[in-house]
Amino acid sequence: MFRLFAAVAATTLALPAFAGGHLTASGDAEAGEKAFRQCVSCHVVVNEAGETLAGKKAKTGPNLYGIVGNKFGEQDFKYSKLVGAANAKEDLIVDEATFVGYVSDPTKFLKEVTGESGRAKMTFKVRKEADAINLYAFLSSLQGSPE
């Protein structure tokens, strides 16, 4: 497990440097769209114009539109204290490594990133790393280029 976290941490630090200032998605957006089916009971992707790009009218979790490339936990949603602590970290943005680490085990990821105790509101864990990577590619494709 330590090796996995170390790899995620190293990728998190290296990805923006190799991406030339842009966040890139290495996964398959089409496969991510299929994997998103496991997320629709809690999440939706609705753009600024109010168009639903993915999901239903779920409100258990935050709208996932625009998360790629932005600070962690900035959507209009009442997050856990752990997400608030993660958001306070200036360098924590949602890149592929951060996203994959989080969705694989939200509470564990947040505890490791913040050094604080508590629980994430998201209890679901994406079990397959490939699904997590593809989910990131799918969400990235829905928002276009990050700012």
Side-chain angles (χ1 to χ4, degrees):
M1 285 312 255
F2 177 77
R3 287 183 186 173
L4 174 64
F5 181 75
V8 169
T11 304
T12 300
L13 295 173
L15 185 62
F18 290 116
H22 298 286
L23 299 172
T24 58
S26 66
D28 177 351
E30 286 184 34
E33 182 175 12
K34 290 177 185 161
F36 191 73
R37 292 180 191 147
Q38 61 190 323
C39 308
V40 297
S41 62
C42 297
H43 294 284
V44 67
V45 182
V46 177
N47 67 14
E48 295 98 352
E51 300 169 309
T52 300
L53 305 177
K56 301 173 186 169
K57 296 185 184 212
K59 293 186 180 180
T60 305
N63 175 12
L64 298 179
Y65 183 78
I67 65 165
V68 173
N70 288 308
K71 283 191 67 168
F72 192 84
E74 289 220 317
Q75 302 306 92
D76 184 21
F77 184 75
K78 187 175 179 180
Y79 290 101
S80 69
K81 290 180 182 179
L82 274 178
V83 171
N87 179 269
K89 293 192 166 290
E90 295 296 321
D91 60 342
L92 188 62
I93 61 165
V94 181
D95 59 18
E96 187 173 274
T98 300
F99 180 84
V100 170
Y102 177 74
V103 300
S104 296
D105 191 338
T107 296
K108 181 180 178 188
F109 176 81
L110 291 171
K111 285 180 177 182
E112 289 174 347
V113 166
T114 64
E116 297 185 18
S117 62
R119 297 184 69 54
K121 285 187 175 182
M122 183 169 145
T123 57
F124 182 80
K125 298 175 185 177
V126 176
R127 299 286 179 198
K128 296 179 182 175
E129 183 179 21
D131 282 349
I133 291 168
N134 293 336
L135 282 166
Y136 179 83
F138 174 62
L139 292 173
S140 181
S141 74
L142 293 177
Q143 75 180 47
S145 300
E147 296 177 18

